[in-house]
Amino acid sequence: MGKTRTLLVGAALTGSLAAGLAVAPAQAATAGAATVQQAQSPQRHFFGPYHSRFGGGENFGHRSYFKGYWYKDGGRYWFFGDLFDRDRDRDYSYVWFRWHNRSGFHTKVFKTFGHRHFSTYGGFKKSSGFNDFKIRVCEGDNSFDDCGNWGDAF
């Protein structure tokens, strides 16, 4: 009976080792496919959060802010992000985008009462002289109230 038991245990051990070796190449192929997929997606460069200044007795938890990321794809720079107005005081929160290229400085301002998402903003090309992108957050009656400092996003 001892030899039969030893043979059964040996066969089970051999079978589990063979099954493990059969699974290992499949797992390696899956891991390799994930690595290739990651290599093909553009690298994200995160920035922020950039905050508005204190105003009207607000605490830090009620300041508006913007945070996001950029990446380069196909020779163009794309910007993504979110503007949050956290105090719900019925004053707008503003985000200013300022960039520079061969034709000079350009600005664009957006506003929200709550949350605003920005996707695929830009498409700037180095070949047109694009070399700077800054962000500033303001909050109040107009787009110049309680502005924070310009933050360098690129």
Side-chain angles (χ1 to χ4, degrees), residues 128-141:
S128 64
F130 173 70
N131 62 5
D132 192 26
F133 192 84
K134 295 188 183 299
I135 294 173
R136 181 166 93 170
V137 178
C138 305
E139 176 183 5
D141 294 329

Side-chain angles (χ1 to χ4, degrees), residues 6-49:
T6 303
L7 285 174
L8 286 173
V9 169
L13 184 59
T14 303
S16 67
L17 285 173
L21 290 174
V23 169
Q27 288 177 340
T30 303
T35 303
V36 169
Q37 184 179 10
Q38 287 176 349
Q40 291 174 348
S41 63
Q43 181 180 359
R44 294 178 179 185
H45 303 272
F46 292 90
F47 54 82

Side-chain angles (χ1 to χ4, degrees), residues 15-151:
S16 67
L17 285 173
L21 290 174
V23 169
Q27 288 177 340
T30 303
T35 303
V36 169
Q37 184 179 10
Q38 287 176 349
Q40 291 174 348
S41 63
Q43 181 180 359
R44 294 178 179 185
H45 303 272
F46 292 90
F47 54 82
Y50 304 115
H51 292 88
S52 62
R53 272 195 358 212
F54 290 104
E58 295 175 331
N59 63 25
F60 185 80
H62 288 126
R63 292 170 68 188
S64 299
Y65 71 96
F66 184 90
K67 67 179 182 175
Y69 65 92
W70 64 268
Y71 68 78
K72 183 179 179 184
D73 187 26
R76 294 181 179 267
Y77 294 87
W78 300 98
F79 291 83
F80 298 77
D82 293 280
L83 173 63
F84 296 95
D85 180 358
R86 297 190 296 181
D87 62 3
R88 308 282 192 244
D89 62 359
R90 300 309 293 164
D91 281 337
Y92 281 106
S93 289
Y94 302 87
V95 62
W96 288 82
F97 296 152
R98 182 173 73 184
W99 66 95
H100 180 264
N101 60 20
R102 212 173 280 125
S103 63
F105 286 96
H106 312 276
T107 58
K108 183 79 175 167
V109 65
F110 299 94
K111 65 183 180 179
T112 187
F113 272 133
H115 171 247
R116 183 161 181 180
H117 177 71
F118 297 84
S119 61
T120 61
Y121 185 82
F124 306 111
K125 297 189 316 186
K126 275 275 195 198
S127 63
S128 64
F130 173 70
N131 62 5
D132 192 26
F133 192 84
K134 295 188 183 299
I135 294 173
R136 181 166 93 170
V137 178
C138 305
E139 176 183 5
D141 294 329
N142 65 57
S143 60
F144 299 103
D145 285 346
D146 291 332
C147 293
N149 294 328
W150 284 100

